[in-house]
Amino acid sequence: MPNFAREGDGGRDIEALFEENRILREAIQHSPIHFGVYAPEGRLIVFNDAFREAFPKTFATRADDADAGRLTYREVMREPVEAMLPPEEVEAELDRRDAANRSLSGHTAYMTRNEAKGHMRIQRFRMPSGAVGAMAVEMNEVVAQSDALQAARAAAEAHERRLREAMDGLPFALGRYSPECRVVMLHRLFREASGLPEDELRPGRPYEDLVRALVRTSFYMADGDVEATVRQRVAQLFASSGRYESHLTDGRVVAADDTRTESGDIVSGRVDISELKRTLARV
């Protein structure tokens, strides 16, 4: 590591300045964050132990050059680039990275994968002196958590898809609503019979909005007072009080059964009993 002491500081005690610079050097040298600085022309002039560990092959053979400030950005980047790309693509990628380092203005950040350290987030920035600073933080734990979350989400989506397929195969209509009476899932028969576009049947929609739309399309009877009908049906669903009959505007009679699950969701079943009612009426 180079000496950070400054020449002259308004008469301050030189020993205090050296002590401040010693502490600064130690903080950089022993930081778990990979830290390096390249001179404007691309030479590596400052680096810490974590930076050295990220390029083991390079520092195993070029340690003296690195300590003497003779190692360039291109030479440092050769190790990770050769690990990532086929030989015929290495030089072009090094040209690209070297040009990007020389033309860097301001600050840039990106994710990459290092052969020795795994997933890393790199931040590079141009200093007022023209030098380029590079800092890197290992992101393996974050990436592992993200991968696990994505896998869990994919498994949940697959489970939800299988559940929907199984539910759609039933000969009667089912609806599933959240504890707050929002749509979670609607059976194929219900979606088809409602006459509503899929956007109005989407998960997350409040049940009261769904009822309002079904009254608008005359699927549900309203007896002149739409909002009273909406309130009645929402209260009925929320109460989940069991079985009852529902009369549709086309004359059909539907047996309904609303049940609350242990999780708080409401499962609402609907079976067309119109033919049964007519048969019973003739008896």
Side-chain angles (χ1 to χ4, degrees):
M1 291 284 292
N3 195 325
F4 283 91
R6 296 166 292 177
E7 294 182 6
D9 194 32
R12 292 183 62 195
D13 184 82
I14 192 67
E15 291 186 6
L17 288 176
F18 273 115
E19 178 63 12
E20 289 178 5
N21 285 312
R22 184 188 67 78
I23 294 172
L24 176 60
R25 292 174 64 193
E26 284 185 353
I28 293 174
Q29 189 69 20
H30 300 293
S31 170
I33 296 176
H34 308 67
F35 183 79
V37 176
Y38 297 91
E41 69 274 13
R43 291 182 301 106
L44 180 65
I45 55 175
V46 174
F47 56 90
N48 66 356
D49 291 341
F51 186 96
R52 184 192 298 266
E53 291 169 2
F55 306 96
K57 295 178 182 178
T58 300
F59 280 89
T61 58
R62 303 288 304 278
D64 291 343
D65 288 336
D67 291 337
R70 294 192 296 267
L71 199 61
T72 67
Y73 177 78
R74 184 187 182 94
E75 291 168 331
V76 172
M77 289 297 103
R78 181 173 291 279
E79 181 177 335
V81 170
E82 286 182 344
M84 291 188 331
L85 298 177
E88 63 273 14
E89 299 179 18
V90 168
E91 295 305 322
E93 176 61 14
L94 287 173
D95 288 342
R96 186 193 68 77
R97 294 194 181 201
D98 195 33
N101 190 63
R102 292 175 183 275
S103 62
L104 177 65
S105 176
H107 171 272
T108 185
Y110 55 92
M111 288 285 291
T112 188
R113 182 171 177 81
N114 180 279
E115 187 177 28
K117 294 293 184 177
H119 297 280
M120 306 186 75
R121 177 174 173 79
I122 311 295
Q123 295 191 63
R124 294 168 51 242
F125 50 94
R126 180 74 66 179
M127 301 180 186
S129 64
V132 174
M135 300 175 66
V137 179
E138 294 179 26
M139 301 291 286
N140 295 313
E141 184 175 349
V142 173
V143 171
Q145 291 175 348
S146 176
D147 289 346
L149 181 61
Q150 290 182 16
R153 183 180 292 115
E157 290 174 351
H159 176 73
E160 190 81 4
R161 185 169 58 254
R162 289 192 296 269
L163 179 61
R164 177 180 289 280
E165 290 172 355
M167 192 175 81
D168 280 349
L170 296 173
F172 51 88
L174 281 176
R176 181 176 153 207
Y177 305 90
S178 72
E180 300 79 25
C181 291
R182 290 180 175 271
V183 173
V184 174
M185 189 182 300
L186 294 172
H187 187 275
R188 170 183 54 83
L189 294 178
F190 181 90
R191 298 197 306 271
E192 292 172 355
S194 71
L196 295 174
E198 285 294 323
D199 182 61
E200 295 198 58
L201 301 169
R202 67 187 182 279
R205 190 176 195 201
Y207 180 66
E208 62 180 284
D209 290 351
L210 177 61
V211 172
R212 206 171 275 116
L214 291 170
V215 170
R216 187 185 69 239
T217 60
S218 298
F219 185 81
Y220 284 154
M221 292 187 291
D223 296 328
D225 190 338
V226 173
E227 291 307 311
T229 299
V230 170
R231 287 193 297 272
Q232 176 192 359
R233 287 192 172 270
V234 171
Q236 205 167 35
L237 180 73
F238 190 80
S240 304
S241 55
R243 297 178 181 178
Y244 57 92
E245 291 185 1
S246 178
H247 294 260
L248 306 183
T249 55
D250 61 4
R252 285 181 296 163
V253 181
V254 173
D257 190 338
D258 299 333
T259 304
R260 194 174 290 273
T261 67
E262 290 184 6
S263 66
D265 280 3
I266 302 165
V267 176
S268 180
R270 299 290 186 271
V271 178
D272 189 340
I273 59 171
S274 305
E275 186 61 33
L276 175 62
K277 298 289 283 188
R278 286 192 290 267
T279 300
L280 291 175
R282 291 194 296 268
V283 174

